[in-house]
Amino acid sequence: MENSLNSKGRFGIHGGQYIPETLMNAVIELEEAYNKYKDDPLFNKELTDLYNNYAGRPSRLYYAEHMTKDLGGAKVYLKREDLNHTGSHKINNVLGQCLLAKRMGKTRVIAETGAGQHGVATATVAALMGLECEVFMGEEDTKRQALNVYRMKLLGAKVHPVSSGTGTLKDAVSETMREWTNRIDDTHYVLGSVMGPHPFPTIVRDFQAVISREIKSQMLEAEGKLPDVVMACVGGGSNAIGAFYHFIEDKSVRLIGCEAAGRGIDTKETAATINTGREGIFHGMKSYFCQDEYGQIAPVYSISAGLDYPGIGPEHAWLYDTKRAEYVAVTDDEAVDAFEYLSRTEGIIPAIESAHAVAHALKIVKDIPKDQIVVINISGRGDKDVAAIARYRGEDIYE
Amino acid sequence: MSNIYKAFENKKAFIPFVTCGDPSLEVTKEIIKAMALSGADLIELGIPFSDPTAEGPVIQEANIRALSGGVTTDKIFDMVKEIRKDVKIPMVFMTYANVVYSYGMEKFMTNAKEAGMDGIILPDVPYEEKEEFASVASKYGLDMISLIAPTSHERVKMIASSAEGFVYCVSSLGVTGVRSEITTDIGKMVELVKAAKDIPAAVGFGISTPEQAKKMAAYADGVIVGSAIVKIIAKYGKECVPYVAEYVKSMKEAITQ
């Protein structure tokens, strides 16, 4: 079936704007504002200044010597997005979108959050820029990530636990969309991933592309050549697209997205969209989704609240269709092992989301020749996950 | 063109909504029959979706009840086929893009037509994405209903010009659900529609009382009610049919006076 001729924001057949009419003028207004400011020198100067002086960019590209020696294959580098202010890559997008929201005259921002990293980033930037902030978080996730809930409150945000559906990230997105239809004039929806209706997948990707821009120049400086493999975890896919984007045209660079398989892709308790889903339309976009034969969205599962989402951004769906990127599945068990491995081997506690990418590296790096280079995007830090991992290992500590 | 125009012929149309399979398809059948006998001019049949982003809590919960009861799109097609023996007024499906897309666009529209449906409403398919669905629907004589919202402004002309069946005027911001007051200038909205095309305009979202319905009917050609009916169904469960019938009758009377 062909997409409509009027449709915008397509990546192959994916993308589009499948949203209620009530929101159409809001996304059109956003697209116009983005087109106006994306090449505006003042806007970009202000954003770069915030990246460097507030978020602490550029983030380091760290040569993981112990891991490299231990695995005995390719040279491993870690892109340290965990060192950004608020502890993850999410701040890159939030700074961009909130700056845009201010330019558009908005005084209030709303956001969904899974693990809480995007919610914390949004609450932080809202505090910085004097915006009113409300965050929607699945009830289940408010329990898994209680510390982040309090962190958001501390920053002045109002946190709404979402009990509808499965009480996880997808329900938080649905509820934030509903809230946006309720109050549009003064409100911008700071969508946290490369998903949703156009122009969000493009805007979020552009703000996250700073990751691959930096990797490229840092790698050329350190090694004098491009990396051979770039890998990242994928839920909606914002840190992955950020790490991939400036390498898409460099065909020699292998791009690997690591999905959350939960308890395994042969079980129902999985969130591996590319590996178990099929083409569908949800949350404003056409892409791959975990769903049943009648198109009912599946209640997905992963230990990682940030990857616990039944869909994937449309640009990833297209990178998959065109075989430009590979998408592999990593189980809870493998991710937890990798979480502990990186902590012990390099003294870096990664977010459980990022640990999915580390886990896949542990599988493949030993078979990649020593003269090749693998970059793993460490999208966030793991402090928020420590209590949950302890519980996973049978130690009953609570935050 | 479908039979939808008949709902608006020389009268104000009352358009009730029901979620299929809430609390069971057997009860849905009785509800539909009772609605038709009580004066409904057109019925919206909701095919439940797991994540209905345009719905408020009342219809969200109805969707969950129906899905947990095991209702599927195929079972709903079968139910419609059966009910068509008794119910002659036009009926449209109201569901979400993925229910249709995932089922297979051609297969969905063929089965809907064969079952006896007249049209389809997809609240997550705006003008920009409409063609993908409408081009298939029209092959089978099904009308794809367009929605306009209080935020549509200059878009109304473009949307209404290509509308089929009737135009669904969304009365308020936000999601579906009962509201104590509707502040949008519905008269102005309907006027903009009529200026673009000679097509019936019906108002929905937030309407629950006969007084509200009467007020809306003064401006529009029809009144759509969903959450208020779903609430009655939720309250009385499988005993709900006489209560729904009574409600539909009171609403129809209010807009006919």
Side-chain angles (χ1 to χ4, degrees), chain A residues 1-8 10 13 15-26 28 164-166 170-171 173-175 177-185 278-284 286-287 289 291-298, chain B residues 47-56 60 64 67 71-75 97-103 105-106 123-133 135-136 147-156 159 170 172-175 179 205:
Chain A
M1 188 62 235
E2 298 286 317
N3 292 322
S4 305
L5 285 172
N6 298 323
S7 178
K8 290 200 280 193
R10 292 286 171 175
I13 67 162
Q17 295 175 302
Y18 300 89
I19 47 169
E21 169 61 21
T22 306
L23 291 177
M24 277 309 297
N25 264 329
I28 290 168
S164 60
T166 48
K170 91 173 154 78
D171 309 291
V173 174
S174 297
E175 212 48 45
M177 282 184 169
R178 290 184 184 117
E179 174 55 28
W180 204 22
T181 63
N182 214 17
R183 197 168 149 188
I184 301 170
D185 274 357
R278 65 190 169 87
E279 191 72 34
I281 296 169
F282 184 47
H283 280 163
K286 186 181 281 182
S287 187
F289 295 95
Q291 53 184 312
D292 75 5
E293 59 171 312
Y294 289 104
Q296 306 296 342
I297 302 303
Chain B
I47 304 180
F49 180 50
S50 52
D51 300 83
T53 47
E55 314 294 350
Q60 280 179 48
I64 293 167
L67 289 172
V71 85
T72 66
T73 309
D74 282 323
K75 288 179 187 170
N98 202 44
V99 170
V100 177
Y101 184 79
S102 164
Y103 192 87
M105 210 80 98
E106 289 278 342
D124 57 346
V125 176
Y127 175 80
E128 280 74 0
E129 308 294 351
K130 184 188 165 187
E131 200 45 40
E132 184 183 358
F133 294 82
S135 59
V136 187
L147 294 95
I148 61 167
T151 50
S152 295
H153 309 300
E154 76 293 346
R155 293 170 53 80
V156 174
I159 297 167
V170 174
S172 319
L173 293 178
V175 291
R179 285 168 174 80
F205 275 46

Side-chain angles (χ1 to χ4, degrees), chain B residues 85-120:
Chain B
K85 292 174 202 152
D86 303 310
V87 176
K88 303 299 172 199
I89 58 170
M91 295 196 289
V92 297
F93 277 137
M94 145 87 204
T95 189
Y96 285 77
N98 202 44
V99 170
V100 177
Y101 184 79
S102 164
Y103 192 87
M105 210 80 98
E106 289 278 342
K107 197 174 132 205
F108 185 97
M109 301 299 180
T110 318
N111 291 358
K113 184 63 190 175
E114 272 175 16
M117 296 302 290
D118 298 281
I120 182 160

Side-chain angles (χ1 to χ4, degrees), chain A residues 97-358:
Chain A
Q97 280 200 47
C98 286
L99 204 57
L100 196 56
K102 290 279 276 191
R103 290 284 204 278
M104 290 167 76
K106 306 286 178 182
T107 54
R108 175 179 179 255
V109 288
I110 54 173
E112 85 293 345
T113 197
Q117 287 172 315
H118 177 60
V120 168
T122 307
T124 299
V125 177
L128 174 74
M129 297 190 185
L131 295 159
E132 194 188 329
C133 177
E134 292 184 39
V135 178
F136 294 79
M137 186 170 188
E139 199 168 36
E140 181 65 28
D141 292 335
T142 59
K143 291 176 199 154
R144 287 198 275 197
Q145 303 287 351
L147 208 59
N148 271 341
V149 174
Y150 194 76
R151 199 167 277 150
M152 288 183 264
K153 289 181 186 166
L154 204 58
L155 291 158
K158 198 187 265 177
V159 180
H160 301 278
V162 177
S163 57
S164 60
T166 48
T168 59
L169 181 54
K170 91 173 154 78
D171 309 291
V173 174
S174 297
E175 212 48 45
T176 319
M177 282 184 169
R178 290 184 184 117
E179 174 55 28
W180 204 22
T181 63
N182 214 17
R183 197 168 149 188
I184 301 170
D185 274 357
D186 66 346
T187 301
H188 173 67
Y189 178 6
V190 184
L191 228 166
S193 194
V194 282
M195 45 158 291
H198 174 72
F200 284 106
T202 300
I203 291 183
V204 179
R205 178 253 278 152
D206 288 351
F207 288 141
Q208 292 294 359
V210 65
I211 302 173
S212 49
R213 197 159 57 234
E214 286 177 9
I215 295 176
K216 206 171 200 174
S217 66
Q218 289 166 325
M219 186 54 75
L220 287 172
E221 193 171 324
E223 298 278 352
K225 59 176 184 173
L226 294 179
D228 299 281
V229 181
V230 175
M231 47 203 300
C233 64
V234 184
S238 71
N239 93 83
I241 213 78
F244 293 174
Y245 187 64
H246 287 284
F247 295 110
I248 291 175
E249 296 304 318
D250 300 314
K251 299 288 158 61
S252 68
V253 183
R254 233 176 114 188
L255 307 174
I256 307 177
C258 304
E259 298 191 315
R263 301 213 159 84
I265 54 171
D266 48 350
T267 73
K268 289 205 162 180
E269 290 172 294
T270 178
T273 307
I274 295 274
N275 283 276
T276 66
R278 65 190 169 87
E279 191 72 34
I281 296 169
F282 184 47
H283 280 163
M285 60 184 170
K286 186 181 281 182
S287 187
Y288 292 103
F289 295 95
C290 300
Q291 53 184 312
D292 75 5
E293 59 171 312
Y294 289 104
Q296 306 296 342
I297 302 303
V300 292
Y301 163 80
S302 160
I303 188 176
S304 145
L307 305 182
D308 198 357
Y309 183 73
I312 187 167
E315 193 163 6
H316 284 292
W318 176 74
L319 290 175
Y320 171 74
D321 286 352
T322 56
K323 297 189 165 58
R324 178 61 193 96
E326 314 157 45
Y327 294 85
V328 299
V330 173
T331 65
D332 282 2
D333 279 343
E334 293 167 334
V336 171
D337 286 346
F339 181 90
E340 294 167 339
Y341 176 88
L342 198 68
S343 302
R344 280 196 312 268
T345 315
E346 294 289 349
I348 294 169
I349 304 176
I352 189 63
E353 288 77 20
S354 325
H356 284 70
V358 177

